[in-house]
Amino acid sequence: MERIDVALIGAGRMGQVHGPNAANHPGLRLKYVVDPRPDAAAAMASRWGAQVAELDSALADPGIGGVLICSSTDQHLGHALAAVRAGKAVFCEKPIDLDLDKVRKAEPEFAGARFLLGFNRRFDPHFQALKRRLEAGEAGNLESLQLVNHDPAAPPPGFIPTSGGLFKDFTIHDLDLARWLLGEEPSEVFSSASCLVDPEIGRLGDVDTARTLLKTPTGKLCVISNTRRSGYGYDQRIEAYGSKGMLTAANVHANTVVTLNEQGVDAAPIHPNFAERYRAAYAGQLDHFAQVLHGRATAQAGYADGVAALVLAEACQESVRTGAPVRL
Amino acid sequence: MERIDVALIGAGRMGQVHGPNAANHPGLRLKYVVDPRPDAAAAMASRWGAQVAELDSALADPGIGGVLICSSTDQHLGHALAAVRAGKAVFCEKPIDLDLDKVRKAEPEFAGARFLLGFNRRFDPHFQALKRRLEAGEAGNLESLQLVNHDPAAPPPGFIPTSGGLFKDFTIHDLDLARWLLGEEPSEVFSSASCLVDPEIGRLGDVDTARTLLKTPTGKLCVISNTRRSGYGYDQRIEAYGSKGMLTAANVHANTVVTLNEQGVDAAPIHPNFAERYRAAYAGQLDHFAQVLHGRATAQAGYADGVAALVLAEACQESVRTGAPVRL
Amino acid sequence: MERIDVALIGAGRMGQVHGPNAANHPGLRLKYVVDPRPDAAAAMASRWGAQVAELDSALADPGIGGVLICSSTDQHLGHALAAVRAGKAVFCEKPIDLDLDKVRKAEPEFAGARFLLGFNRRFDPHFQALKRRLEAGEAGNLESLQLVNHDPAAPPPGFIPTSGGLFKDFTIHDLDLARWLLGEEPSEVFSSASCLVDPEIGRLGDVDTARTLLKTPTGKLCVISNTRRSGYGYDQRIEAYGSKGMLTAANVHANTVVTLNEQGVDAAPIHPNFAERYRAAYAGQLDHFAQVLHGRATAQAGYADGVAALVLAEACQESVRTGAPVRL
Amino acid sequence: MERIDVALIGAGRMGQVHGPNAANHPGLRLKYVVDPRPDAAAAMASRWGAQVAELDSALADPGIGGVLICSSTDQHLGHALAAVRAGKAVFCEKPIDLDLDKVRKAEPEFAGARFLLGFNRRFDPHFQALKRRLEAGEAGNLESLQLVNHDPAAPPPGFIPTSGGLFKDFTIHDLDLARWLLGEEPSEVFSSASCLVDPEIGRLGDVDTARTLLKTPTGKLCVISNTRRSGYGYDQRIEAYGSKGMLTAANVHANTVVTLNEQGVDAAPIHPNFAERYRAAYAGQLDHFAQVLHGRATAQAGYADGVAALVLAEACQESVRTGAPVRL
């Protein structure tokens, strides 16, 4: 496989996940790192054999086939538009934007574009195995879903105001997972939420604990369980119930060691955070982007998926606000 | 421990669970079996060394300390009233009655009575262990609950019309479990339900698949997952999430044997039905009733618990009917 | 099923297991309790509705169909002979006797007798499930076995001198399990043993930690792992390896509850002792004895099995003494 | 970390594991690939940006700091000697050689050399976690070990004659693990072995199924379980028993998905082969070699460990040949 040059926009938390994956991929070469903070850009570039660049010059380089957008959320859409207008394939971290109107208005520009949105859970080997078994009929026809997505510890309150809130920032992953697995668009959304983890989150107008109940036109039911603080690691699970049985994807533990002694039975903890838990998912996602770049695959999570998840997240917010289910 | 004589009313499905447990209990003697079907009464009586009797004469026997009510649901309340009026301690299978008004009207007669309602899950050793750990603070303060109650296979449609419907017949166990664990009365109920298992159930006006979301005044959330047909056994689980961690009570498998071969990894199935899964719970429940009879304990699930669960079950029904949450 | 009267000889540790099981069995009636300690006999008899009796009169009662021998080990053989001579069916706790010569000499008297030896593991539902799967070919042809039998805590040193030593007292269960599962008689025995748990055990000439390696004429291998003190409960497991896969029977935990919190993942301990771990096995064993008494079954572990296990236990002892394998 | 140049000798099965790990390591650069088969060398070199070279010229390059020896077993020692004489740090696949005399004779030349032998299990994160817990005293003082090492499927018979036999080729890993965990040298070795998997292996004078029992001077016991064909994947486990409890490192499954349906409970298979099971171990091992190369660590498995494991493997062979334990 020839290597195709890519540019990384944003050397922050997610850039540090995707940049190395691009640099190590046999079909990609990390050529440019773009970041407004010169030190961050330089550190990433030197570590992985890339050059620091300005956005414009990176996009102007005809050798650049793809762009990885890991900038701050409020810049995702602007950077994505610039890259698509420059004819590049785009991998963009989620969400496209927190403002559904802006996202919808920009949608026509993405028609036909090679655009992969960062719904990493679709590339998790455990969740993919569950989906394969589901499609193989091991549980019969899918009837209901249980998605668990619990963060290990609450974010600093300073993160809340620009986060978009629990549903757009966090639940959005589950809303996409639900769409991916249900094979139907939810037509009813009910969310019940509380602020139990950190009262400061509540003072900032957000919630930190929620249950969301989706229903589809054919009567399939899906429950999403969210909390900002589990106290025991990054709890990521799926249960799928069908006409002939159930499928479950359990948590991944740090290792398989168990102690039995007077104190009881003590196993290794589950993975503590997204970087460890979804290491393989991030690598698989970038490999998929490489396949898209090489023309061997169509993006499995596109712009329209981002729009649909955002619509559901807004419905969750509205349901909490009104105390009633929202019909879509 | 002296043995106290008890009478069993109803030698059907539940009578066959409780009758033998009474006969085998060192503090009880099964003296009478009452059942309108002479054969059923005689079979039970002869197997366990008891006598067949009419209800009135059994209740008139001053040696009878307690009565086990396992008659059909529509007779529970009448039999309970008769037994309480005769001064007997009463163990009564759930529900007290399907009609909340009747149940409430009769409530004063049960003031001060020794009355144990058949919420057997409270006596399950797994669920009791979970509650002990919860109360010991292993998960910190309880914030949310997930209750799974999936029947192995749908009942015959003929059962539906007199069953009271999914929520009063089946979910009622979970509503009691929720109250038992939450330590607060739910103040909001939202249920979403479908008929996915058997269209005949839908034609009879009932549902067979449901998710119920409870919220308490302090913001605790509880999800109840129900289906009439799992396809893989009797799925009975609890997950409790708190400020410092989580507790889970998993399913019980028939045995611990696992096969690993070319076909994969094959473990023993989970318990197939209530009789096997809750064998220890039923024994513990009857032991508790014996303690009540001997004056050593107060009934842990009384008439008021039956009323409260029925109120919640009606709220579930109303939520499904109106499509909106019900505030209590 | 008619009830057949049985007499219990010995109201000690094992009598307290088997006596109640007999009293509760629908096909048996516990008529006599025989024990040289009048208090122990009386307590057992009154608790279970039986009479205290002398051995001779109990055996002289023509209504007694079976005898349960739970006396001290040095009396097993004498009591068994007396019962067999009286024409009774016999259930006898293991071992028959510690002296192989005496056991062999008495063997002819047991020809044709209904005699069940207390190898309770053959009646454990987990081990039975493993054997069923093995016989169903799930692992192909059996090639090797791993048996784990670890006691929770060392016996008091005073028990050692009359115990027969680790191999005759403890390993003997595994030697019987090995024969039961291998389907062949071992032809080579090698044991390696240490005294690591309690030096007093060593001073008394016994060992407390051992590994035994059996080989059969067709080359099947079996490892037996023993220790007198696990520190974590009663560790009882089987692994069976075959030409197409493996089967494992794991430990049974007290309940299914697991805590996940900052301290880690904490499951319930395994069963702490033989009474809890093998409760179902003891009940199944006594039910089998009832079947034998009623003429519906042939004893699944007879006198010859006791002889064979004792031969192997002596081979283990000899192997430790000589440091060499013993060919049989 | 500066990158230090390394040369890979052997682009075969193990070279394909270690070469990419070297190429991807931030502290190493894969400069040369040496292999007598020009195509294999060229494919590896071009894939990972290295050059094809002859052994002599690679060793003559003063820029080469380290050499990875993945040639055929009969060439390990010659290549290692050449590399050490050239002053290079050496990573060498196990075994050093099949001939203990040759290995011992060459030993003085390795005094002071930076030499890491390919005992990859020491770098497995699961086994390392077990060792950490053991050293932290979670199981008290170690008393006995159970090591399971079962290959998924027998090698082609053509591999047997040059393999060194089961003990030198396969068990050697477990003998090293035993030394690593026991903290003492075994003083007694007894092996019992059969040919059950493939009669052709027996005709070639080798065995395919074995149990080995090690004993140390202080009485610690260790059982090693080996087979050439499990039928269910690559079974790799450790159980460590101590004075206060036990530690276990279980198998790693392909994913966490489980199906429950009418057919039973079906989990994902365990890892099928060494490349998947020990992926992290191989990466950790090469990282350790990089630390050695950079002067930040001393090789954790050196020449003397290779000698000691070979001595034990020969003792296993002798024990099978003589049918008696071997004292060391």
Side-chain angles (χ1 to χ4, degrees):
Chain A
M1 181 155 46
E2 280 297 289
R3 294 197 169 207
I4 297 181
D5 289 345
V6 298
L8 171 70
I9 306 181
R13 198 175 64 151
M14 295 312 300
Q16 282 164 33
V17 170
H18 300 303
N21 280 342
N24 285 325
H25 194 281
L28 302 177
R29 184 161 33 219
L30 182 62
K31 184 163 184 188
Y32 300 123
V33 177
V34 178
D35 194 293
R37 299 159 305 160
D39 287 0
M44 171 73 75
S46 99
R47 168 68 185 82
W48 296 102
Q51 305 159 235
V52 173
E54 294 298 310
L55 177 63
D56 290 351
S57 64
L59 294 182
D61 180 342
I64 288 292
V67 176
L68 311 174
I69 299 176
C70 304
S71 47
S72 61
T73 293
D74 58 342
Q75 295 194 292
H76 286 177
L77 184 53
H79 288 152
L81 277 168
V84 162
R85 285 168 185 161
K88 313 301 188 194
V90 172
F91 167 79
C92 182
E93 257 307 317
K94 63 96 226 173
I96 301 174
D97 195 275
L98 297 174
D99 181 339
L100 180 56
D101 284 343
K102 279 174 61 182
V103 172
R104 279 192 159 137
K105 196 172 301 169
E107 192 164 8
E109 294 220 41
F110 290 84
R114 291 166 300 162
F115 180 89
L116 177 67
L117 192 59
F119 284 135
N120 59 304
R121 283 150 174 83
R122 292 193 184 206
F123 299 93
D124 178 62
H126 308 278
F127 295 171
Q128 289 184 326
L130 181 141
K131 192 166 197 276
R132 265 198 311 277
R133 286 185 177 220
L134 186 60
E135 289 170 353
E138 291 193 14
N141 298 319
L142 181 65
E143 293 176 353
S144 57
L145 272 181
Q146 165 80 12
L147 307 179
V148 175
N149 178 15
H150 293 185
D151 242 347
F159 167 76
I160 300 295
T162 60
S163 71
L166 183 76
F167 295 105
K168 285 190 178 176
D169 170 54
F170 192 60
T171 314
I172 199 161
H173 276 298
D174 309 301
L175 295 166
D176 181 64
L177 264 190
R179 294 182 61 248
W180 185 57
L181 291 167
L182 287 170
E184 274 187 274
E185 295 300 321
S187 50
E188 187 186 298
V189 178
F190 179 77
S191 293
S192 190
S194 301
C195 181
L196 300 173
V197 173
D198 183 350
E200 188 60 22
I201 291 176
R203 270 192 289 276
L204 292 164
D206 200 2
V207 292
D208 52 36
T209 308
R211 293 297 183 279
T212 295
L213 213 164
L214 309 176
K215 193 173 186 177
T216 71
T218 66
K220 289 176 190 164
L221 302 171
C222 172
V223 172
I224 298 170
S225 178
N226 295 131
T227 173
R228 285 289 195 185
R229 176 264 297 120
S230 72
Y232 54 86
Y234 192 43
D235 193 349
Q236 304 288 302
R237 282 175 287 147
I238 300 177
E239 293 177 1
Y241 300 92
S243 56
K244 295 190 172 170
M246 78 169 282
L247 294 164
T248 174
N251 277 310
V252 185
H253 291 251
N255 57 63
T256 65
V257 179
V258 177
T259 302
L260 289 89
N261 59 22
E262 256 189 5
Q263 277 75 51
V265 178
D266 180 40
I270 64 172
H271 277 318
N273 54 48
F274 74 95
E276 293 204 30
R277 171 63 183 83
Y278 287 123
R279 191 181 306 275
Y282 288 122
Q285 189 179 43
L286 211 82
D287 180 63
H288 177 62
F289 182 62
Q291 304 303 320
V292 171
L293 249 183
H294 282 267
R296 298 177 184 171
T298 309
Q300 282 177 27
Y303 198 93
D305 294 302
V307 176
L310 208 52
V311 167
L312 290 171
E314 293 215 338
C316 294
Q317 291 179 326
E318 185 187 336
S319 175
V320 169
R321 202 167 51 240
T322 62
V326 174
R327 269 86 196 182
L328 296 169
Chain B
M1 183 154 42
E2 280 296 289
R3 295 198 168 206
I4 297 181
D5 288 346
V6 298
L8 172 69
I9 306 181
R13 197 175 65 151
M14 295 312 299
Q16 282 164 32
V17 170
H18 300 304
N21 279 343
N24 284 326
H25 194 280
L28 303 177
R29 185 162 33 220
L30 182 62
K31 187 164 182 189
Y32 300 122
V33 176
V34 179
D35 194 292
R37 300 159 304 162
D39 288 359
M44 171 73 75
S46 98
R47 170 68 184 82
W48 296 102
Q51 306 160 234
V52 172
E54 293 299 311
L55 177 63
D56 289 350
S57 63
L59 294 182
D61 180 342
I64 288 292
V67 176
L68 311 174
I69 300 175
C70 304
S71 46
S72 63
T73 293
D74 59 342
Q75 296 194 291
H76 286 177
L77 184 52
H79 287 152
L81 276 168
V84 161
R85 286 169 185 160
K88 312 301 187 193
V90 172
F91 167 79
C92 182
E93 258 305 318
K94 62 95 225 174
I96 302 173
D97 194 275
L98 297 174
D99 181 338
L100 180 56
D101 285 341
K102 279 175 61 181
V103 171
R104 279 194 159 136
K105 197 172 299 170
E107 191 163 12
E109 294 219 41
F110 289 86
R114 290 167 300 160
F115 181 89
L116 178 67
L117 191 60
F119 284 136
N120 59 304
R121 284 152 173 82
R122 292 192 184 205
F123 299 92
D124 178 62
H126 307 279
F127 295 171
Q128 288 183 327
L130 181 141
K131 191 165 197 277
R132 265 197 311 278
R133 287 184 177 220
L134 186 61
E135 289 170 354
E138 291 193 12
N141 298 317
L142 182 65
E143 292 176 353
S144 58
L145 273 181
Q146 166 79 11
L147 307 179
V148 174
N149 178 15
H150 294 185
D151 241 347
F159 167 76
I160 300 295
T162 61
S163 70
L166 183 75
F167 296 105
K168 285 189 179 175
D169 170 56
F170 192 61
T171 314
I172 200 161
H173 276 298
D174 308 303
L175 296 166
D176 181 64
L177 263 190
R179 294 182 60 249
W180 185 58
L181 291 167
L182 287 169
E184 274 187 273
E185 294 301 320
S187 50
E188 187 185 298
V189 178
F190 179 77
S191 292
S192 190
S194 301
C195 182
L196 301 172
V197 172
D198 183 350
E200 188 60 21
I201 291 176
R203 269 192 290 275
L204 293 163
D206 200 3
V207 292
D208 52 35
T209 307
R211 293 297 183 279
T212 295
L213 212 164
L214 308 176
K215 191 175 188 176
T216 72
T218 64
K220 289 175 190 164
L221 301 171
C222 173
V223 172
I224 297 170
S225 178
N226 294 131
T227 174
R228 285 289 194 185
R229 178 265 296 121
S230 72
Y232 54 86
Y234 192 43
D235 193 350
Q236 304 288 301
R237 283 175 287 146
I238 299 179
E239 293 176 1
Y241 300 92
S243 55
K244 294 188 171 170
M246 80 169 281
L247 293 164
T248 175
N251 278 311
V252 184
H253 291 250
N255 58 62
T256 66
V257 179
V258 177
T259 303
L260 288 89
N261 59 22
E262 255 189 7
Q263 276 75 50
V265 178
D266 179 39
I270 64 172
H271 276 320
N273 54 47
F274 74 96
E276 294 204 31
R277 171 63 182 84
Y278 286 123
R279 190 181 306 273
Y282 287 121
Q285 189 178 42
L286 211 81
D287 181 63
H288 177 61
F289 183 61
Q291 305 304 320
V292 171
L293 248 183
H294 282 267
R296 299 178 183 170
T298 309
Q300 283 177 27
Y303 199 93
D305 294 303
V307 177
L310 208 51
V311 167
L312 290 171
E314 293 216 337
C316 295
Q317 291 178 327
E318 184 187 335
S319 175
V320 169
R321 203 166 51 239
T322 63
V326 175
R327 271 85 196 183
L328 296 169
Chain C
M1 183 156 42
E2 281 295 289
R3 293 197 169 208
I4 297 180
D5 289 345
V6 298
L8 172 70
I9 305 181
R13 199 174 65 150
M14 295 313 299
Q16 283 163 33
V17 170
H18 301 303
N21 280 343
N24 285 325
H25 194 281
L28 303 177
R29 186 163 30 222
L30 182 63
K31 186 164 183 189
Y32 300 123
V33 176
V34 178
D35 194 291
R37 300 159 304 162
D39 288 0
M44 170 72 76
S46 99
R47 168 68 184 81
W48 296 102
Q51 306 160 234
V52 172
E54 293 299 310
L55 177 62
D56 289 351
S57 63
L59 293 183
D61 181 342
I64 289 291
V67 176
L68 311 173
I69 300 175
C70 304
S71 47
S72 61
T73 293
D74 59 342
Q75 296 194 289
H76 286 177
L77 183 53
H79 288 151
L81 277 168
V84 161
R85 286 168 184 160
K88 313 301 187 192
V90 173
F91 167 78
C92 182
E93 258 306 317
K94 62 96 227 172
I96 302 173
D97 195 275
L98 296 174
D99 181 338
L100 180 56
D101 285 341
K102 279 174 60 183
V103 172
R104 278 193 160 136
K105 197 172 301 172
E107 192 163 11
E109 294 219 41
F110 290 86
R114 291 166 299 161
F115 180 89
L116 178 66
L117 191 59
F119 284 135
N120 59 304
R121 284 150 173 83
R122 294 193 183 205
F123 299 92
D124 178 63
H126 308 278
F127 295 170
Q128 289 184 327
L130 181 141
K131 191 165 197 278
R132 267 197 310 278
R133 287 185 176 219
L134 186 60
E135 288 169 355
E138 292 194 13
N141 298 319
L142 181 64
E143 293 175 352
S144 58
L145 273 181
Q146 166 79 12
L147 307 179
V148 175
N149 178 16
H150 294 184
D151 241 347
F159 167 76
I160 299 296
T162 61
S163 71
L166 183 75
F167 296 105
K168 284 190 179 175
D169 170 56
F170 192 61
T171 313
I172 199 161
H173 276 298
D174 309 301
L175 295 167
D176 182 63
L177 264 189
R179 292 182 62 249
W180 186 57
L181 291 166
L182 287 170
E184 274 186 274
E185 295 300 320
S187 50
E188 186 186 298
V189 178
F190 179 77
S191 293
S192 190
S194 301
C195 181
L196 300 172
V197 172
D198 183 350
E200 188 60 22
I201 291 176
R203 269 192 289 274
L204 292 163
D206 200 2
V207 292
D208 51 36
T209 308
R211 293 297 184 280
T212 295
L213 213 165
L214 308 176
K215 191 175 189 176
T216 71
T218 65
K220 290 176 188 163
L221 301 172
C222 172
V223 172
I224 297 171
S225 178
N226 294 131
T227 173
R228 284 288 195 186
R229 178 264 298 119
S230 73
Y232 55 85
Y234 192 43
D235 192 348
Q236 303 289 301
R237 283 176 285 147
I238 299 178
E239 294 177 0
Y241 300 91
S243 56
K244 294 189 171 171
M246 78 169 281
L247 293 163
T248 173
N251 278 310
V252 184
H253 291 250
N255 57 62
T256 66
V257 179
V258 177
T259 303
L260 289 88
N261 59 22
E262 254 189 7
Q263 277 74 50
V265 177
D266 180 39
I270 64 171
H271 277 318
N273 54 48
F274 74 95
E276 295 203 29
R277 171 61 183 83
Y278 287 123
R279 191 181 306 275
Y282 287 121
Q285 188 178 44
L286 211 80
D287 181 63
H288 177 61
F289 182 62
Q291 305 303 321
V292 171
L293 250 182
H294 283 267
R296 299 178 184 169
T298 308
Q300 283 178 25
Y303 199 94
D305 295 303
V307 176
L310 208 53
V311 168
L312 291 170
E314 294 216 338
C316 294
Q317 291 179 326
E318 184 187 336
S319 176
V320 169
R321 202 167 52 242
T322 62
V326 174
R327 270 85 196 183
L328 297 169
Chain D
M1 182 153 45
E2 281 295 291
R3 294 197 169 209
I4 297 181
D5 289 346
V6 297
L8 171 70
I9 305 181
R13 199 175 66 149
M14 295 313 300
Q16 282 163 35
V17 170
H18 300 304
N21 280 343
N24 284 325
H25 194 281
L28 302 177
R29 184 162 31 220
L30 182 62
K31 186 163 182 188
Y32 300 122
V33 176
V34 177
D35 194 292
R37 300 158 304 161
D39 287 359
M44 170 73 76
S46 99
R47 169 66 185 82
W48 296 103
Q51 305 159 233
V52 172
E54 293 298 310
L55 177 63
D56 290 350
S57 62
L59 294 182
D61 180 343
I64 288 293
V67 176
L68 311 173
I69 300 175
C70 303
S71 47
S72 61
T73 294
D74 59 342
Q75 296 195 293
H76 286 177
L77 184 52
H79 288 152
L81 277 168
V84 162
R85 286 168 185 160
K88 312 303 187 191
V90 172
F91 167 79
C92 181
E93 259 306 317
K94 62 95 225 173
I96 302 172
D97 195 274
L98 297 174
D99 181 338
L100 180 56
D101 285 342
K102 278 175 62 181
V103 171
R104 280 194 157 136
K105 197 174 298 171
E107 192 164 9
E109 294 220 41
F110 289 86
R114 291 167 300 161
F115 180 89
L116 177 67
L117 191 60
F119 284 135
N120 59 304
R121 284 150 174 83
R122 293 193 183 205
F123 299 93
D124 179 61
H126 307 278
F127 294 171
Q128 289 184 326
L130 181 141
K131 193 165 196 277
R132 266 196 311 277
R133 287 185 176 219
L134 186 61
E135 289 170 353
E138 291 192 14
N141 298 319
L142 181 64
E143 292 175 354
S144 58
L145 273 181
Q146 166 79 12
L147 307 178
V148 174
N149 178 16
H150 294 185
D151 241 348
F159 167 77
I160 300 295
T162 61
S163 71
L166 183 74
F167 296 104
K168 286 190 178 175
D169 170 56
F170 192 59
T171 314
I172 199 161
H173 276 298
D174 308 301
L175 295 167
D176 181 63
L177 263 189
R179 294 182 62 247
W180 186 57
L181 291 166
L182 287 169
E184 273 187 273
E185 295 299 320
S187 50
E188 187 186 297
V189 177
F190 179 76
S191 293
S192 190
S194 301
C195 181
L196 300 172
V197 172
D198 182 350
E200 187 61 21
I201 291 176
R203 268 193 289 277
L204 293 163
D206 200 4
V207 292
D208 51 36
T209 308
R211 293 299 183 278
T212 295
L213 213 164
L214 308 176
K215 191 174 188 177
T216 71
T218 65
K220 290 176 188 162
L221 301 172
C222 172
V223 171
I224 297 170
S225 178
N226 296 131
T227 173
R228 285 289 195 186
R229 177 265 296 121
S230 73
Y232 54 86
Y234 192 44
D235 193 348
Q236 302 289 302
R237 283 176 286 147
I238 300 177
E239 293 177 0
Y241 300 91
S243 56
K244 295 188 170 172
M246 79 168 281
L247 294 162
T248 173
N251 278 312
V252 185
H253 291 250
N255 57 62
T256 67
V257 179
V258 177
T259 303
L260 288 88
N261 59 22
E262 257 189 3
Q263 276 76 50
V265 178
D266 179 39
I270 64 172
H271 278 318
N273 55 45
F274 74 95
E276 294 203 30
R277 170 62 182 85
Y278 286 124
R279 189 181 306 275
Y282 287 121
Q285 188 179 44
L286 211 82
D287 180 63
H288 177 62
F289 183 62
Q291 304 304 320
V292 171
L293 248 182
H294 283 267
R296 298 177 183 172
T298 309
Q300 282 176 27
Y303 199 93
D305 295 303
V307 176
L310 207 52
V311 167
L312 291 170
E314 294 215 337
C316 294
Q317 291 178 326
E318 184 187 336
S319 175
V320 169
R321 202 166 51 240
T322 63
V326 174
R327 271 85 195 183
L328 297 169

